[in-house]
Each structure stands twice: as C-alpha cells, then as structure tokens.
Amino acid sequence: VQLVESGGGSVQAGGSLRLSCSVSGHTVSSSCMGWFRQAPGKGREKVATINPDGIRRYGVIGEFTISRDNAKNTLYLRMRDLEPEDTAMYYCGADPGRTTVCADYAPIYGQGTQVTVST
C-alpha cells in the first residue's frame, strides 16, 4: 500500500486548502481511510475517517470535510477557515483491516504534507 499526500502549503488564517491522497496497492473505498495530523511537540491525532459505507467521523473541531473519489482512488480533505492551531503535518492513513468502525489511528501512513497557517 502506498499513500502519497499533496496539497499542503502556507495560508493565512481564514484560508482554505484541499489535501489529496493518491492511493496505490489498495482500493480507497474498501476499508477505513483517514486523515491525521501532528503538530510540533504533540502526538498524532485523528482529523477525520471514512469507512466503506461513507460514514464519516471527525476528531477535531473545525471546517473539515473528508471525501473520496473512487474512480481516481484518491482521498481528500477539504479544510476551510483555517486557524494557526491547525498548523501541522497532515498524514493520509489506511486501515485495510477495518471496514465498519474506524479507529483513531491507522497502521499505514503516507509521508505527510505540511500545512502552515499564519496570523
């Protein structure tokens, strides 16, 4: 399974970004997938997960929307009204062993994409 994130960058507070995760070696709609983030000096936390039925769970407060494109085998995270507290490395995660209730972590992560929000 290979996960490649893109779409990170630097934005001002109130800005928006859309992260993408290109998935290979695994079907994005076949198991739990999610986005996770890790800020400097903090542990990794769940941002959002989605299961094969399309049930979404969010782990942080904010304007985040997780989605997927089955035809492109790609996972997305739309982020709006970003705040400096959202600054972190964002990781795409896959959990091939879970298909119903998604965990707050994933056994497989990509390399991550940096999101920096300034005031």
Side-chain angles (χ1 to χ4, degrees), residues 7-92:
S10 297
V11 297
Q12 291 189 323
S16 300
L17 285 172
R18 188 181 77 158
L19 306 183
S20 299
C21 174
S22 178
V23 181
S24 58
H26 180 65
T27 302
V28 70
S29 61
S30 68
S31 75
C32 285
M33 298 285 301
W35 288 96
F36 305 81
R37 70 185 185 185
Q38 186 167 16
K42 296 186 178 181
R44 192 171 297 185
E45 64 178 345
K46 179 184 80 174
V47 177
T49 56
I50 183 169
N51 76 358
D53 292 329
I55 297 173
R56 298 166 172 82
R57 292 288 183 264
Y58 295 91
V60 298
I61 297 174
E63 295 290 326
F64 299 102
T65 304
I66 188 172
S67 63
R68 64 182 181 227
D69 185 325
N70 296 341
K72 295 182 178 179
N73 211 37
T74 299
L75 187 73
Y76 301 101
L77 182 70
R78 168 73 72 181
M79 306 185 293
R80 294 186 173 94
D81 196 20
L82 286 162
E83 300 178 350
E85 293 73 25
D86 297 315
T87 294
M89 184 70 79
Y90 283 72
Y91 298 90
C92 175

